[in-house]
Amino acid sequence: MKLLRFGPQGHERPGLLDGNGVVRDLSGVVADIDPATLTDEGLARLRALDPERLAAVPEGARLGPCVAGVSKVVCVGLNYRAHAAESGMAEPAEPVLFMKATTSISGPNDPVIAPKGSTKLDWEVELGIVIGKTARYVEKADVFDHIAGYCVVNDVSERAFQIESTGQWVKGKSADTFCPLGPWMVTRDEVPDPQALRLWLEVDGKRWQDSTTGDMIFTVADIVSYISRFMTLLPGDIIATGTPQGVALGQKPQPWLKPGQTMRLGIEGLGEQQQTVQSYKD
């Protein structure tokens, strides 16, 4: 299934994408695409529905973040071999973790707002894991029992905030609109091998990132098991699994994003996003 949320910001309703690409309204069935819906039982209930009996949503409706009720966004840094190389850094011996504030979450096609003082705005297409079952000290063999599905994430970053000042990476990762999610969450049964997905990103039609999740240093199973050693993962939590080579940071010269530019990105089988960069306005 492809589950999504549609409608005005802050007033999204739950929906699904049927086999013909029509968005169907789930608001008469579930309250939202939230932790209660993401359990195995909740997803089984939705699979039993006949989508054609659900009301069709008018074309052009805004898509919101594909998951609601996210308690945390956990990210993995330097998790692609070629990206570590372009960054001039050694491959990490264990996953590098950081967080994005939940207030950074936005819809897949909403504008990305450059924060005040931004000078080095960057893009990062990433495979997102959506947790469906509480995960605490999970063995690798059991990881997939705890995953509801997957989605596209753009881990938008302000590199000057992230790298050039003191403190943690979270400062360069957490501005409003820095975590577009969606367009939909694809349930795990439709992604038989998350380590064999092509992912890509373009800016104004120029392709900068084009790789596969097979270049990950730490796999989906590695990542979920590892993170669950240090914190409890709750249904609805998002894990951004790292980005491949081709970010602005790794280029010479570095083509930082500017207001008016448009990013388009996607992952095989998980859909596409598109965001235009705008300047912050008080």
Short mmCIF file of all heavy atoms in Angstrom, two decimals, residues 230-265:
data_model
loop_
_atom_site.label_atom_id
_atom_site.label_comp_id
_atom_site.label_asym_id
_atom_site.label_seq_id
_atom_site.Cartn_x
_atom_site.Cartn_y
_atom_site.Cartn_z
N PHE A 230 20.36 2.42 21.73
CA PHE A 230 20.61 3.68 22.42
C PHE A 230 19.35 4.48 22.72
O PHE A 230 19.38 5.40 23.54
CB PHE A 230 21.56 4.54 21.58
CG PHE A 230 22.86 3.85 21.29
CD1 PHE A 230 23.10 3.28 20.05
CD2 PHE A 230 23.84 3.75 22.26
CE1 PHE A 230 24.30 2.63 19.78
CE2 PHE A 230 25.03 3.10 22.01
CZ PHE A 230 25.27 2.54 20.77
N MET A 231 18.25 4.15 22.06
CA MET A 231 16.99 4.85 22.31
C MET A 231 15.85 3.95 21.86
O MET A 231 16.02 3.09 20.98
CB MET A 231 16.93 6.19 21.57
CG MET A 231 16.91 6.07 20.06
SD MET A 231 17.12 7.66 19.22
CE MET A 231 18.92 7.86 19.32
N THR A 232 14.70 4.14 22.44
CA THR A 232 13.51 3.40 22.04
C THR A 232 12.90 4.07 20.81
O THR A 232 12.63 5.27 20.81
CB THR A 232 12.48 3.37 23.18
OG1 THR A 232 13.06 2.70 24.30
CG2 THR A 232 11.21 2.64 22.75
N LEU A 233 12.69 3.28 19.78
CA LEU A 233 12.03 3.76 18.58
C LEU A 233 10.55 3.44 18.68
O LEU A 233 10.16 2.30 18.96
CB LEU A 233 12.63 3.09 17.34
CG LEU A 233 14.09 3.46 17.05
CD1 LEU A 233 14.69 2.52 16.01
CD2 LEU A 233 14.20 4.91 16.59
N LEU A 234 9.72 4.45 18.44
CA LEU A 234 8.27 4.32 18.58
C LEU A 234 7.58 4.29 17.22
O LEU A 234 8.12 4.82 16.24
CB LEU A 234 7.71 5.49 19.40
CG LEU A 234 8.26 5.64 20.81
CD1 LEU A 234 7.72 6.91 21.45
CD2 LEU A 234 7.92 4.42 21.66
N PRO A 235 6.40 3.68 17.14
CA PRO A 235 5.65 3.74 15.88
C PRO A 235 5.51 5.18 15.39
O PRO A 235 5.20 6.08 16.17
CB PRO A 235 4.30 3.13 16.25
CG PRO A 235 4.63 2.18 17.36
CD PRO A 235 5.71 2.88 18.17
N GLY A 236 5.76 5.37 14.11
CA GLY A 236 5.72 6.71 13.53
C GLY A 236 7.06 7.38 13.45
O GLY A 236 7.22 8.37 12.71
N ASP A 237 8.05 6.90 14.18
CA ASP A 237 9.38 7.50 14.11
C ASP A 237 9.98 7.30 12.72
O ASP A 237 9.75 6.28 12.06
CB ASP A 237 10.32 6.91 15.16
CG ASP A 237 10.04 7.45 16.56
OD1 ASP A 237 9.23 8.38 16.70
OD2 ASP A 237 10.65 6.93 17.51
N ILE A 238 10.77 8.28 12.30
CA ILE A 238 11.43 8.26 10.99
C ILE A 238 12.93 8.11 11.18
O ILE A 238 13.53 8.79 12.02
CB ILE A 238 11.15 9.57 10.22
CG1 ILE A 238 9.64 9.84 10.10
CG2 ILE A 238 11.82 9.55 8.86
CD1 ILE A 238 8.88 8.86 9.26
N ILE A 239 13.53 7.24 10.38
CA ILE A 239 14.99 7.15 10.32
C ILE A 239 15.41 7.50 8.89
O ILE A 239 14.99 6.84 7.93
CB ILE A 239 15.50 5.74 10.68
CG1 ILE A 239 15.06 5.35 12.10
CG2 ILE A 239 17.03 5.70 10.57
CD1 ILE A 239 15.40 3.91 12.44
N ALA A 240 16.23 8.54 8.75
CA ALA A 240 16.81 8.90 7.46
C ALA A 240 18.16 8.22 7.36
O ALA A 240 19.04 8.43 8.21
CB ALA A 240 16.95 10.42 7.34
N THR A 241 18.34 7.39 6.36
CA THR A 241 19.44 6.41 6.34
C THR A 241 20.73 6.88 5.69
O THR A 241 21.65 6.09 5.51
CB THR A 241 18.96 5.12 5.66
OG1 THR A 241 18.52 5.43 4.32
CG2 THR A 241 17.82 4.48 6.43
N GLY A 242 20.83 8.16 5.34
CA GLY A 242 22.05 8.68 4.73
C GLY A 242 21.86 8.99 3.26
O GLY A 242 20.89 8.56 2.63
N THR A 243 22.79 9.76 2.73
CA THR A 243 22.66 10.22 1.34
C THR A 243 23.86 9.77 0.51
O THR A 243 24.97 9.64 1.02
CB THR A 243 22.55 11.77 1.30
OG1 THR A 243 22.02 12.18 0.03
CG2 THR A 243 23.90 12.45 1.53
N PRO A 244 23.65 9.53 -0.79
CA PRO A 244 24.76 9.16 -1.66
C PRO A 244 25.58 10.38 -2.08
O PRO A 244 25.27 11.52 -1.72
CB PRO A 244 24.07 8.52 -2.86
CG PRO A 244 22.74 9.16 -2.91
CD PRO A 244 22.35 9.43 -1.47
N GLN A 245 26.62 10.12 -2.87
CA GLN A 245 27.48 11.20 -3.36
C GLN A 245 26.69 12.15 -4.25
O GLN A 245 25.65 11.80 -4.79
CB GLN A 245 28.66 10.62 -4.15
CG GLN A 245 28.33 10.15 -5.57
CD GLN A 245 27.72 8.77 -5.62
OE1 GLN A 245 27.35 8.18 -4.61
NE2 GLN A 245 27.64 8.22 -6.83
N GLY A 246 27.23 13.38 -4.37
CA GLY A 246 26.61 14.36 -5.26
C GLY A 246 26.01 15.55 -4.55
O GLY A 246 25.34 16.37 -5.20
N VAL A 247 26.21 15.68 -3.25
CA VAL A 247 25.71 16.85 -2.55
C VAL A 247 26.56 18.06 -2.91
O VAL A 247 27.69 17.94 -3.37
CB VAL A 247 25.69 16.63 -1.01
CG1 VAL A 247 24.75 15.48 -0.66
CG2 VAL A 247 27.08 16.38 -0.46
N ALA A 248 26.02 19.26 -2.66
CA ALA A 248 26.75 20.48 -3.00
C ALA A 248 28.06 20.57 -2.24
O ALA A 248 29.07 21.05 -2.78
CB ALA A 248 25.89 21.71 -2.71
N LEU A 249 28.06 20.09 -1.00
CA LEU A 249 29.26 20.15 -0.16
C LEU A 249 30.46 19.48 -0.83
O LEU A 249 31.60 19.91 -0.65
CB LEU A 249 28.98 19.48 1.19
CG LEU A 249 30.13 19.41 2.19
CD1 LEU A 249 30.50 20.81 2.68
CD2 LEU A 249 29.76 18.51 3.37
N GLY A 250 30.21 18.44 -1.62
CA GLY A 250 31.29 17.66 -2.20
C GLY A 250 31.77 18.16 -3.55
O GLY A 250 32.65 17.53 -4.16
N GLN A 251 31.21 19.27 -4.05
CA GLN A 251 31.56 19.76 -5.38
C GLN A 251 32.62 20.87 -5.31
O GLN A 251 32.81 21.51 -4.28
CB GLN A 251 30.31 20.29 -6.10
CG GLN A 251 29.12 19.36 -6.08
CD GLN A 251 29.42 17.98 -6.62
OE1 GLN A 251 30.01 17.84 -7.70
NE2 GLN A 251 29.03 16.94 -5.89
N LYS A 252 33.28 21.10 -6.43
CA LYS A 252 34.23 22.20 -6.57
C LYS A 252 33.97 22.90 -7.90
O LYS A 252 34.22 22.31 -8.95
CB LYS A 252 35.67 21.68 -6.51
CG LYS A 252 36.06 21.10 -5.16
CD LYS A 252 37.50 20.63 -5.16
CE LYS A 252 37.90 20.04 -3.82
NZ LYS A 252 39.30 19.56 -3.78
N PRO A 253 33.45 24.14 -7.87
CA PRO A 253 32.99 24.89 -6.71
C PRO A 253 31.68 24.31 -6.16
O PRO A 253 31.05 23.47 -6.81
CB PRO A 253 32.77 26.30 -7.28
CG PRO A 253 32.42 26.05 -8.72
CD PRO A 253 33.26 24.87 -9.14
N GLN A 254 31.28 24.78 -5.00
CA GLN A 254 30.10 24.24 -4.33
C GLN A 254 28.85 25.02 -4.75
O GLN A 254 28.72 26.20 -4.46
CB GLN A 254 30.30 24.30 -2.82
CG GLN A 254 31.44 23.39 -2.35
CD GLN A 254 31.95 23.72 -0.97
OE1 GLN A 254 32.08 24.88 -0.61
NE2 GLN A 254 32.27 22.68 -0.19
N PRO A 255 27.91 24.35 -5.43
CA PRO A 255 26.73 25.05 -5.96
C PRO A 255 25.59 25.14 -4.94
O PRO A 255 24.54 24.51 -5.09
CB PRO A 255 26.33 24.16 -7.15
CG PRO A 255 26.72 22.78 -6.70
CD PRO A 255 27.96 22.94 -5.86
N TRP A 256 25.80 25.90 -3.88
CA TRP A 256 24.79 25.99 -2.83
C TRP A 256 23.44 26.42 -3.41
O TRP A 256 23.37 27.22 -4.36
CB TRP A 256 25.22 26.97 -1.75
CG TRP A 256 26.58 26.70 -1.16
CD1 TRP A 256 27.67 27.51 -1.22
CD2 TRP A 256 26.98 25.54 -0.43
NE1 TRP A 256 28.73 26.93 -0.57
CE2 TRP A 256 28.34 25.71 -0.07
CE3 TRP A 256 26.34 24.36 -0.04
CZ2 TRP A 256 29.07 24.77 0.65
CZ3 TRP A 256 27.06 23.42 0.68
CH2 TRP A 256 28.40 23.61 1.02
N LEU A 257 22.37 25.93 -2.82
CA LEU A 257 21.03 26.27 -3.27
C LEU A 257 20.73 27.76 -3.05
O LEU A 257 21.12 28.33 -2.03
CB LEU A 257 19.99 25.44 -2.52
CG LEU A 257 19.92 23.96 -2.88
CD1 LEU A 257 19.16 23.19 -1.81
CD2 LEU A 257 19.27 23.77 -4.25
N LYS A 258 20.02 28.34 -4.01
CA LYS A 258 19.63 29.74 -3.94
C LYS A 258 18.11 29.85 -4.08
O LYS A 258 17.46 28.99 -4.69
CB LYS A 258 20.28 30.53 -5.07
CG LYS A 258 21.81 30.43 -5.12
CD LYS A 258 22.46 31.03 -3.89
CE LYS A 258 23.98 30.98 -4.01
NZ LYS A 258 24.64 31.45 -2.75
N PRO A 259 17.51 30.91 -3.51
CA PRO A 259 16.08 31.12 -3.70
C PRO A 259 15.71 31.12 -5.18
O PRO A 259 16.43 31.67 -6.02
CB PRO A 259 15.85 32.49 -3.06
CG PRO A 259 16.90 32.57 -2.00
CD PRO A 259 18.11 31.92 -2.61
N GLY A 260 14.61 30.45 -5.49
CA GLY A 260 14.15 30.31 -6.86
C GLY A 260 14.54 29.01 -7.52
O GLY A 260 13.95 28.63 -8.54
N GLN A 261 15.52 28.30 -6.97
CA GLN A 261 15.91 27.02 -7.53
C GLN A 261 14.94 25.92 -7.08
O GLN A 261 14.33 26.01 -6.00
CB GLN A 261 17.33 26.66 -7.13
CG GLN A 261 18.39 27.55 -7.77
CD GLN A 261 19.79 27.02 -7.54
OE1 GLN A 261 20.24 26.93 -6.40
NE2 GLN A 261 20.48 26.67 -8.62
N THR A 262 14.84 24.88 -7.89
CA THR A 262 13.91 23.79 -7.62
C THR A 262 14.64 22.46 -7.56
O THR A 262 15.41 22.13 -8.46
CB THR A 262 12.81 23.73 -8.70
OG1 THR A 262 12.06 24.95 -8.67
CG2 THR A 262 11.87 22.56 -8.46
N MET A 263 14.39 21.73 -6.48
CA MET A 263 14.89 20.37 -6.34
C MET A 263 13.81 19.39 -6.75
O MET A 263 12.64 19.57 -6.41
CB MET A 263 15.27 20.09 -4.87
CG MET A 263 16.44 20.87 -4.35
SD MET A 263 16.68 20.62 -2.56
CE MET A 263 15.45 21.75 -1.90
N ARG A 264 14.20 18.35 -7.46
CA ARG A 264 13.31 17.22 -7.75
C ARG A 264 14.08 15.96 -7.40
O ARG A 264 15.25 15.82 -7.78
CB ARG A 264 12.88 17.21 -9.22
CG ARG A 264 11.76 16.20 -9.52
CD ARG A 264 11.18 16.43 -10.91
NE ARG A 264 12.11 16.01 -11.95
CZ ARG A 264 12.13 14.80 -12.50
NH1 ARG A 264 11.27 13.88 -12.09
NH2 ARG A 264 13.00 14.51 -13.45
N LEU A 265 13.46 15.07 -6.65
CA LEU A 265 14.16 13.90 -6.15
C LEU A 265 13.20 12.73 -6.03
O LEU A 265 11.98 12.91 -5.95
CB LEU A 265 14.80 14.19 -4.78
CG LEU A 265 13.88 14.67 -3.66
CD1 LEU A 265 14.37 14.18 -2.30
CD2 LEU A 265 13.82 16.21 -3.65
#
